[in-house]
Amino acid sequence: MATRDEVGAEKQDLLQVRQVRIGDAEYPYRYGAGCIGAILEELATLNADSFVVVSDETVIGLHGDALLPGLRALAPVDVISRPPGEGMKTLTCLAEDIERVLAAGATRRTVVVAFGGGVPGNLAGVIAALLFRGIRLVHIPTTTTAAMDSVLSLKQAINSSRGKNHIGTYLPPHGVFTDVNLLATLPARELRSGLCEAAKNCLAIRPGDLPALREVLAEGRLAEPRSLLWLLECSIAAKTSVTAHDSHEKRAGLILEYGHTVGHAVELVDHRRRGVAGLSHGESIAFGMLVAARISHNRGRLSLDNVRVHDEIVEALGAPTRLPVGIDIEDVLAVVRDDNKRGYLPAGPGQIPFVLLDDLGTPTGDRELPLVPVDLAEVRVALESLAPQRIAEPVGAEVG
Ligand SMILES: NC(=O)c1ccc[n+]([C@@H]2O[C@H](COP(=O)([O-])OP(=O)(O)OC[C@H]3O[C@@H](n4cnc5c(N)ncnc54)[C@H](O)[C@@H]3O)[C@@H](O)[C@H]2O)c1
């Protein structure tokens, strides 16, 4: 019979590791399929005197049994769990949670465990950053967005009453542990949302990964562990390549904003209209990339073939390839005008800083600040070419 050490070693083998370097920060990202036991072995090495698990009710209902009993065997566990959604990313919840864990006896040796998607992940990040001016934070992400995007960032933020992610800070996690099997229960919409961001990484940063992405999409095996593991590796490589010297994502890391200027605007306008039934963040970004690709093409930068690559990938992801019916272009432009990248560049009236591409993987302008001023009129032309009633042909198709 195998000894405990041998069993432990076997479990460790289930975890692959990549060292994430973002500016001066460095942390291990361990991942695998069916590796929750190995993750618990890793958490045991933290020598925590208690754990604070920040999650939501859906995640606890689906996967709490996989984590919590093993964690309770290591140290006392306080579970903070609320109904899912942005509603928990508030100052009120933050204050309640901090008071609660302090009352429960949290110390500097407490470890905050973010268990869930980007929402509990962000709340956990702010709690960990503030408690005793910073205690250890580990992520166990359960959505594609969290596993492939938010845990590969030092940004931790909650919302103010006026907008998203207004209150926050930067905190490197102590480590990230992903078991892609936990992602198997994700509804298709949530699964796709993170994968749209992974696709953005391929188009804007690592076009060499596009053939493999096409294969995964063509085979329709997005939720399979080996696809998710590949997408995870691809996201780690892409994100860390642009944030290695830009921990605050304010220079080279701004390439990650590809598709976000119009994407955010469409997401907001659709949510005002349809609430939670509106487009997901990832779907909106995917559509935003179609707009950015068309602006790039209309400026004589991106080839028509590469615009079509965008269309093909976005369609294969099941994200909208036309502006959804009922979204008014003027409403989208009104939000674009207030985009949060204003201020990075001197831009004239009626202009906004934008990430555009000269080629797949090559931003227009300076790689160290991949933003260029774009006229709102150019955004309007690209949006009009994607209006629902038009035939799906890029503006200026004959130029390519
Ligand atoms: N820090 C960053 O750089 C960064 C980057 C990207 C996103 N974010 C933040 O992340 C948030 C969005 O993240 P998200 O999309 O993961 O949202 P989320 O955490 O709300 O999760 C989405 C939904 O999936 C459910 N869910 C989670 N895991 C599940 C599973 N395994 N099976 C079934 N259902 C599951 C949740 O209960 C929720 O209803 C936003 O608040 C955004 O601001 C931050």
Side-chain angles (χ1 to χ4, degrees), residues 290-301:
L290 300 187
V291 176
R294 279 158 173 77
I295 298 172
S296 304
H297 175 68
N298 294 344
R299 289 183 159 208
R301 298 286 191 165

Side-chain angles (χ1 to χ4, degrees), residues 122 125-130 153-158 165-172 248:
N122 269 187
V126 180
I127 292 173
L130 293 180
S153 167
L154 311 185
K155 295 194 280 187
Q156 317 291 348
I158 58 170
N165 298 329
H166 279 181
I167 303 159
T169 185
Y170 297 89
L171 178 76
H248 291 190

Side-chain angles (χ1 to χ4, degrees), residues 353-370:
F354 227 95
V355 182
L356 297 179
L357 295 184
D358 280 357
D359 196 355
L360 299 178
T362 307
T364 301
D366 181 358
R367 261 186 198 277
E368 284 307 305
L369 188 66

Side-chain angles (χ1 to χ4, degrees), residues 43-63:
L43 296 180
T45 67
L46 297 180
N47 195 21
D49 63 2
S50 67
F51 291 99
V52 173
V53 175
V54 183
S55 190
D56 71 37
E57 286 167 5
T58 302
V59 174
I60 291 295
L62 288 167
H63 301 296

Side-chain angles (χ1 to χ4, degrees), residues 176-189:
V176 179
F177 302 93
T178 298
D179 181 346
V180 292
N181 286 6
L182 298 179
L183 277 55
T185 51
L186 280 172
R189 172 192 149 95

Side-chain angles (χ1 to χ4, degrees), residues 149-290:
D149 193 4
S150 56
V151 303
L152 291 165
S153 167
L154 311 185
K155 295 194 280 187
Q156 317 291 348
I158 58 170
N159 306 328
S160 74
S161 60
R162 307 182 72 84
K164 255 182 83 93
N165 298 329
H166 279 181
I167 303 159
T169 185
Y170 297 89
L171 178 76
H174 191 76
V176 179
F177 302 93
T178 298
D179 181 346
V180 292
N181 286 6
L182 298 179
L183 277 55
T185 51
L186 280 172
R189 172 192 149 95
E190 298 301 340
L191 182 76
R192 210 166 45 223
S193 186
L195 300 188
C196 289
E197 292 269 3
K200 173 206 70 184
N201 292 335
C202 292
L203 291 164
I205 303 169
R206 285 173 64 92
D209 286 336
L210 280 169
L213 176 67
R214 278 202 181 95
E215 240 175 70
V216 169
L217 292 172
E219 291 174 16
R221 51 183 173 86
L222 285 182
E224 279 183 21
R226 70 191 164 112
S227 307
L228 292 170
L229 288 171
W230 178 78
L231 285 157
L232 198 61
E233 287 180 359
C234 174
S235 303
I236 295 172
K239 274 203 90 164
T240 54
S241 73
V242 295
T243 54
H245 303 292
D246 181 20
S247 56
H248 291 190
E249 297 170 39
K250 286 182 171 165
R251 296 197 62 80
L254 283 167
I255 185 79
L256 296 164
E257 291 284 309
Y258 186 55
H260 280 57
T261 306
V262 168
H264 270 153
V266 167
E267 182 182 8
L268 187 72
V269 171
D270 206 26
H271 275 243
R272 280 182 193 150
R273 204 171 62 105
R274 294 197 285 161
V276 287
L279 291 178
S280 71
H281 176 72
E283 288 169 331
S284 310
I285 298 314
F287 178 77
M289 291 196 291
L290 300 187

